[in-house]
Amino acid sequence: MNEFQSEVTSLTSTLPIVDHPSAAREFVTNEPRSHWHDDSLWFVRSKRDKQAHSIPEWEYLREQASTIKTHTIAKLPEYLQQFEANATRLGAVVHWAADAEEHNRIVLDLLRRNDTLRIVKSKSMLTEECGLNEYLIDNGIDVVDTDLGERIVQLRGETPSHIVLPAIHIKKEEVGDTFHEHLGTRAGESDPQVLTEAARGHLRGKFLSGEVGITGVNFAIADTGGLVVCTNEGNADLGVSLPRIHIACMGIEKLVPRFQDLSVFTRLLARSATGQPITSYTSHFHGPRDENSELHIVLVDNGRSKIRDSKTFRESLHCIRCGACMNTCPVYRRSGGHSYRATVPGPIGSVLGPAKNAKAHKSLPFACSLCGSCTDVCPVKIPLHHQLLAWRKVLVGKRLVAWNKRMAMKAASFLFQNPPLFAAAGYFGRVALKVLPKALTHNRFNTWAKDRDLPEPPKQSFHEWYAKNRPTASQAVSKEERS
């Protein structure tokens, strides 16, 4: 862990330092939008719960998925070599990228070698992580995201706010305004069916003119060399069926050892992500489509090997990008995905972000109540809240936490170790909250209180209540035991 700590803090980046409370301010203080966003995601979380409860072996599947991932990450070099050999045998060309820059260069080189300028692309968080769209556009390539949510945020000049529901932060009326501006729909149109039909007509022409199809990868199977892409719209299938060239971009952690392991994850993925039994399309690719086609697979590290070397954070590589932790997280639901300023937001992003750049993302592990709900819903049983707590220790140890927060924690530690002082502070705190005007306790200097309020202070402390009622409580317990 010490080597990993020194490694992550030595990373340099042009990314600005993210202060989550400041980044979340606009979203949090817009109460109607914040509550609407909260309710929308909790609806998805509720659907997930119904699906989980419908399967008696749900917890067994989670345990199996975790075990498979633990085994795979432990033997990752061997499985990567096995996958490369089998994919090559099927006719695919496998490329290796150490980082985002090399990944982007490989893709651009493939496009230039084939003299192509128009790309149709399905949803891929890896390409978002690598900044592929911007890189290709800067080099004169036309890139069209064909996932509906991704296309909406692309037209608006935004980034996805969620890894499964990229446009969850946008209301249908705002989508109507965007489509009116870019697709020529009727002003004020907000009917989802009408807007979807407009998007379908718009994208159909893009599919027909696309020269190369780019997809992400949900799972890669070591013993067959095959790829699996899961979608609900079928855009990935159409995007790679018409062009001659298919480029699949995947992080090296997406491997599973055997074809039979795949069923464990496909049963968990859609239920955890959107509360549906299975994705509408679970597409398998085993080599190029025919002898005139090409399949290129780009395997990307981009910091994953460093995470694998860490005993503390290695389990974060188990992630199958379902987004369940975001749908349940009270902080994410109320602050929105863009407040994290990271490709992957939410609890898992707050683990992965500091691993990529500890200084830039030092506030993210503190954007967490440590309620543990993310750990409870994770289909591969990543101990997310424990990892977030561990990151706090790493950041404090490297003095990346603000001095005032460090001093506040030291003061709290001193207070908790002195019972008489703690009791006195509690008394004066209760009195102060009763008599002080709210402007003194809830102001711009108290970022905690942006969208929160304190409960009404009790008349007495629990210690005082217990001392007064202890005989009564003991008698009640004794009477219950006798009965």
Side-chain angles (χ1 to χ4, degrees):
M1 181 172 165
N2 290 334
E3 290 181 6
F4 181 71
Q5 291 176 27
S6 60
E7 187 74 51
V8 295
T9 52
S10 68
L11 292 173
T12 58
S13 172
T14 56
L15 289 173
I17 295 175
V18 178
D19 180 56
H20 183 267
S22 299
R25 182 179 292 114
E26 182 179 355
F27 196 93
V28 167
T29 53
N30 185 340
E31 289 192 25
R33 182 176 292 276
S34 180
H35 290 303
W36 165 78
H37 188 261
D38 184 2
D39 292 341
S40 298
L41 286 165
W42 189 252
F43 172 70
V44 181
R45 158 71 203 267
S46 300
K47 288 172 62 183
R48 174 263 174 206
D49 290 348
K50 290 178 183 177
Q51 286 294 332
H53 294 152
S54 70
I55 301 179
E57 65 273 24
W58 180 257
E59 290 304 317
Y60 172 75
L61 288 171
R62 291 181 69 214
E63 190 64 46
Q64 283 291 100
S66 179
T67 301
I68 292 168
K69 279 291 187 179
T70 299
H71 168 79
T72 307
I73 298 303
K75 294 183 174 292
L76 191 58
E78 295 95 321
Y79 283 126
L80 284 168
Q81 291 176 348
Q82 182 184 8
F83 173 77
E84 180 187 30
N86 287 323
T88 302
R89 177 178 52 80
L90 293 171
V93 180
V94 178
H95 308 263
W96 299 82
D99 52 29
E101 184 179 352
E102 186 174 6
H103 163 269
N104 293 346
R105 284 201 310 268
I106 289 170
V107 174
L108 180 61
D109 182 58
L110 289 171
L111 300 179
R112 285 177 171 171
R113 260 192 276 161
N114 289 276
D115 195 26
T116 53
L117 295 174
R118 294 187 299 276
I119 310 304
V120 286
K121 179 171 159 287
S122 70
K123 188 156 71 67
S124 163
M125 293 314 298
L126 177 73
T127 60
E128 290 285 345
E129 174 189 330
C130 295
L132 180 64
N133 281 21
E134 295 78 8
Y135 180 83
L136 294 181
I137 291 170
D138 288 344
N139 283 275
I141 308 294
D142 180 33
V143 183
V144 176
D145 281 311
T146 59
D147 174 90
L148 178 55
E150 291 273 355
R151 187 56 175 161
I152 291 169
V153 297
Q154 187 181 35
L155 290 173
R156 292 170 62 89
E158 299 176 359
T159 57
S161 66
H162 190 289
I163 61 176
V164 173
L165 311 165
I168 188 66
H169 62 289
I170 305 171
K171 294 186 176 184
K172 61 183 180 180
E173 292 80 10
E174 295 166 333
V175 174
D177 293 340
T178 301
F179 280 15
H180 172 65
E181 178 183 352
H182 295 279
L183 307 186
T185 57
R186 182 175 60 85
E189 182 61 72
S190 62
D191 182 87
Q193 182 66 32
V194 173
L195 297 175
T196 303
E197 289 293 339
R200 180 179 290 135
H202 161 70
L203 288 171
R204 186 53 56 95
K206 302 294 184 181
F207 280 121
L208 292 173
S209 63
E211 298 172 307
V212 172
I214 297 179
T215 70
V217 175
N218 289 94
F219 307 103
I221 306 160
D223 73 351
T224 67
L227 307 173
V228 179
V229 180
C230 303
T231 66
N232 276 324
E233 300 171 22
N235 56 303
D237 298 73
L238 188 57
V240 300
S241 296
L242 297 176
R244 188 177 65 85
I245 301 170
H246 173 192
I247 302 174
C249 307
M250 61 171 276
I252 56 175
E253 82 284 6
K254 291 300 182 73
L255 280 176
V256 295
R258 305 167 300 174
F259 186 75
Q260 66 200 68
D261 297 326
L262 181 63
S263 62
V264 174
F265 295 95
T266 53
R267 295 187 73 191
L268 289 167
L269 177 61
R271 289 180 169 91
S272 297
T274 54
Q276 60 190 110
I278 195 168
T279 50
S280 301
Y281 300 87
T282 302
S283 307
H284 296 246
F285 300 95
H286 297 274
R289 186 173 66 243
D290 54 47
E291 60 183 14
N292 296 318
S293 302
E294 297 177 20
L295 170 60
H296 295 269
I297 304 170
V298 187
L299 297 171
V300 184
D301 188 317
N302 203 33
R304 288 161 174 79
S305 292
K306 292 186 179 70
I307 298 175
R308 179 179 177 268
D309 291 339
S310 165
K311 292 181 180 179
T312 305
F313 303 110
R314 182 182 300 156
E315 287 176 282
S316 63
L317 293 178
H318 294 189
C319 180
I320 59 174
R321 301 295 193 269
C322 68
C325 62
M326 300 168 203
N327 301 338
T328 198
C329 175
V331 177
Y332 174 88
R333 295 199 323 262
R334 289 165 176 80
S335 63
H338 288 152
S339 64
Y340 293 79
R341 302 291 192 267
T343 304
V344 180
I348 185 61
S350 297
V351 174
L352 297 175
K356 184 176 182 181
N357 189 304
K359 186 175 182 180
H361 298 290
K362 63 184 181 181
S363 72
L364 297 189
F366 296 91
C368 172
S369 66
L370 297 179
C371 66
S373 185
C374 50
T375 300
D376 291 340
V377 301
C378 177
V380 289
K381 304 192 77 170
I382 302 172
L384 286 164
H385 70 294
H386 293 295
Q387 294 201 346
L388 289 166
L389 182 60
W391 261 120
R392 294 182 186 185
K393 294 177 182 177
V394 172
L395 296 170
V396 169
K398 293 299 177 181
R399 303 186 70 81
L400 288 174
V401 177
W403 68 269
N404 56 342
K405 186 170 286 188
R406 294 201 308 271
M407 293 301 104
M409 290 299 101
K410 287 183 178 180
S413 176
F414 177 76
L415 185 67
F416 295 152
Q417 293 178 67
N418 292 270
L421 188 61
F422 179 80
Y427 171 77
F428 286 114
R430 292 193 300 275
V431 172
L433 285 173
K434 289 178 181 178
V435 301
L436 290 177
K438 191 172 182 178
L440 283 179
T441 58
H442 293 66
N443 51 55
R444 64 188 180 90
F445 299 107
N446 183 6
T447 56
W448 185 91
K450 282 175 188 172
D451 192 42
R452 288 178 285 199
D453 206 347
L454 289 169
E456 183 178 344
K459 295 179 180 179
Q460 57 184 175
S461 69
F462 174 76
H463 185 79
E464 293 169 338
W465 177 91
Y466 187 72
K468 181 179 179 181
N469 293 278
R470 184 174 181 178
T472 305
S474 301
Q475 291 169 8
V477 171
S478 178
K479 185 182 295 185
E480 187 176 330
E481 288 175 348
R482 288 197 302 270
S483 65

